[in-house]
Amino acid sequence: MKNYLEIKSFGEIDIQAFTLIGASTKRGNSSMIGMYGSGNKYSIATLLNQGIDFKVFSGENEIKFTTKEQTFRDQEFKVILVNGVETSLTTTMGGNDWKNAFAPIREIYSNALDEDKDATLTKTDKFIAEKGYTKFYIELTEDVDHFYKNIHLYFCTTNPKVLYSNANGSMYSNTDDGNTRVFRKGILSHYDTKNKALLHYNLDNIEINESRVVKYIWQINYKLAILWKSCT
């Protein structure tokens, strides 16, 4: 029997969250993590493309995702269907930033936290639909299991080893063999195994792209200089 990572949040997700590109009620709201309105679509596309088993429940109703082959200019694509209805989305959506298991989990869990600050992560082997809640079940592959067991490496707000924090950012003990990890609003947004760091950092005001990855490395350097200068 397979094990799954359950991501549960209060409120029932609207099916349009998976079909309406660019539609985001969070754009311009600085208290929210998301902003682009494309993350859920990329997440579903990535899970389908990687062959990771998953299920989504909006309240007591399952939202079903399937694919069908379609040819465009002599190339084959897999078009995504939501509850049997064809969309304009394909499993090739995203890019290099989405070629890992963490990307869809990051997006789904981030959206869950935007809707419900008490959203939960649970390991389970059962699917339980529940009225009033949204639930994602993602197959516990090796990479997904690594996220579950080491969540502080991906969401630093779960890391109790904060060394210093002020309005400019936070510093954490590096628990990842010296690899550089920079978080934005608590979520891993820059990862570098070549340039080592003594600490991990969480910064709020750095620009990210649609894949939640830091746009400009110079902003990290600049913000860290300010953080260190203000550190007592």
Side-chain angles (χ1 to χ4, degrees):
M1 184 176 291
K2 289 182 180 179
N3 285 319
Y4 291 81
L5 176 67
E6 178 196 82
I7 301 176
K8 174 183 175 181
S9 58
F10 182 74
E12 299 183 9
I13 194 168
D14 190 321
I15 194 171
Q16 291 184 98
F18 303 104
T19 60
L20 204 56
I21 281 288
S24 175
T25 58
K26 298 181 282 188
R27 187 177 284 109
N29 187 338
S30 61
S31 68
M32 295 294 191
I33 302 168
M35 66 178 85
Y36 290 105
S38 57
N40 275 325
K41 296 85 170 173
Y42 284 176
S43 298
I44 296 302
T46 300
L47 293 171
L48 288 169
N49 190 40
Q50 293 186 8
I52 299 175
D53 190 28
F54 70 97
K55 288 185 181 296
V56 180
F57 292 92
S58 178
E60 297 174 327
N61 300 311
E62 181 180 359
I63 301 176
K64 296 184 178 181
F65 299 90
T66 53
T67 62
K68 78 168 191 176
E69 299 285 345
Q70 185 165 314
T71 303
F72 177 69
R73 293 186 177 179
D74 299 324
Q75 291 191 42
E76 292 294 325
F77 293 90
K78 287 185 177 180
V79 175
I80 299 173
L81 287 74
V82 181
N83 283 348
V85 179
E86 185 176 327
T87 69
S88 60
L89 314 177
T90 74
T91 58
T92 58
M93 289 178 62
N96 291 332
D97 293 331
W98 290 85
K99 291 182 178 179
N100 58 75
F102 169 58
I105 297 174
R106 172 195 62 212
E107 190 64 36
I108 293 166
Y109 186 46
S110 295
N111 285 334
L113 290 172
D114 274 343
E115 299 298 327
D116 176 10
K117 64 181 180 61
D118 297 318
T120 59
L121 294 170
T122 310
K123 186 175 177 179
T124 183
D125 59 1
K126 296 180 178 64
F127 305 129
I128 302 175
E130 187 175 352
K131 186 176 181 179
Y133 288 88
T134 295
K135 292 186 178 182
F136 284 78
Y137 291 92
I138 303 171
E139 180 184 357
L140 209 69
T141 63
E142 183 178 346
D143 288 341
V144 176
D145 192 42
H146 183 272
F147 166 81
Y148 178 71
K149 292 177 179 176
N150 301 275
I151 187 172
H152 65 282
L153 295 178
Y154 303 95
F155 286 79
C156 69
T157 50
T158 64
N159 186 351
K161 297 183 179 180
V162 58
L163 301 176
Y164 183 76
S165 184
N166 65 21
N168 297 304
S170 302
M171 304 177 182
Y172 295 82
S173 297
N174 190 325
T175 56
D176 185 33
D177 298 326
N179 295 323
T180 297
R181 288 180 183 264
V182 178
F183 301 78
R184 174 189 176 271
K185 293 188 176 182
I187 302 171
L188 181 64
S189 298
H190 177 69
Y191 178 61
D192 190 345
T193 59
K194 295 180 180 178
N195 292 311
K196 300 299 182 178
L198 290 175
L199 303 174
H200 291 164
Y201 299 95
N202 183 37
L203 306 168
D204 276 355
N205 300 313
I206 47 177
E207 293 182 64
I208 56 172
N209 62 23
E210 205 165 359
S211 299
R212 297 189 191 272
V213 175
V214 172
K215 274 187 180 181
Y216 310 112
I217 301 302
W218 67 263
Q219 281 193 344
I220 294 177
N221 298 331
Y222 178 72
K223 296 291 185 180
L224 288 186
I226 293 175
L227 175 59
W228 272 107
K229 186 177 181 180
S230 66
C231 179
T232 57

